[in-house]
Amino acid sequence: MKDLKLIFIVDENWNIGINGDMLYKTRIDLDHFKTITEGQVLLMGRKTLEALPGKKGLKNRINIVLSRNQDYQAENIKLVNTLDQMEEEIKKYPDKKIFLIGGQNLVDQLFPYCTYAYITKINYKFENFDTSIPNLDQMDNWQVVKASQPIADQNYTLTFLEYKKIS
């Protein structure tokens, strides 16, 4: 599998979602996500796709969706039914960055192939959550390579971080 990049907004405990949706949505982070991923490839599971606006693939990106349902249909997606099919589809885009955008189940399966991460960290610990990703701050083989100054949002302070896998 090609070098994958994670891109998520997380709370202080690396929680990402609840009930099939993001823990927190803010225009600042959504614009950041768009800037980084536009023109690139997004990998996601069906539930993540269904959490997107209109339950369809995002514009100006190649949206590869993993679902066991071979008849699944949605606008602006390339459907794959297995990780092997996903890997074959990714090979069609050697000049693109490949972003893993969710959900937790897909991250659990593909995390070993991730070498870089774009993380928006919220300075808050949400009490209600049901999905998380690995805490890169607690892993010896991941390090922060870039960090923004804290950015004040309506409810919280956000920091844009970039991590690189070092071994």
Side-chain angles (χ1 to χ4, degrees), residues 118-150:
Y118 296 86
I119 302 295
T120 302
K121 196 177 288 185
I122 309 163
N123 74 324
Y124 186 77
K125 295 177 184 174
F126 287 89
E127 291 183 23
N128 296 316
F129 62 90
D130 58 17
T131 50
S132 306
I133 62 169
N135 182 336
L136 303 181
D137 291 329
Q138 295 179 348
M139 299 183 156
D140 292 338
N141 61 337
W142 284 86
Q143 67 181 14
V144 174
V145 293
K146 188 174 181 184
S148 74
Q149 292 297 316

Side-chain angles (χ1 to χ4, degrees), residues 53-113:
K55 299 183 180 183
K56 60 185 178 183
L58 295 173
K59 292 180 192 174
N60 303 319
R61 292 162 204 122
I62 298 157
N63 299 271
I64 301 174
V65 177
L66 177 66
S67 173
R68 286 185 212 97
N69 179 351
Q70 296 180 3
D71 299 321
Y72 187 80
Q73 295 182 7
E75 191 177 321
N76 194 28
I77 69 162
K78 296 184 182 292
L79 179 69
V80 295
N81 303 118
T82 66
L83 289 177
D84 287 341
Q85 286 179 2
M86 182 174 273
E87 185 170 15
E88 287 305 308
E89 188 64 31
I90 289 169
K91 288 178 183 175
K92 296 177 183 177
Y93 309 101
D95 59 331
K96 303 281 186 193
K97 292 180 182 175
I98 312 296
F99 288 94
L100 178 54
I101 69 166
Q104 179 181 342
N105 188 17
L106 198 55
V107 172
D108 289 346
Q109 295 177 71
L110 298 179
F111 185 72
Y113 305 103

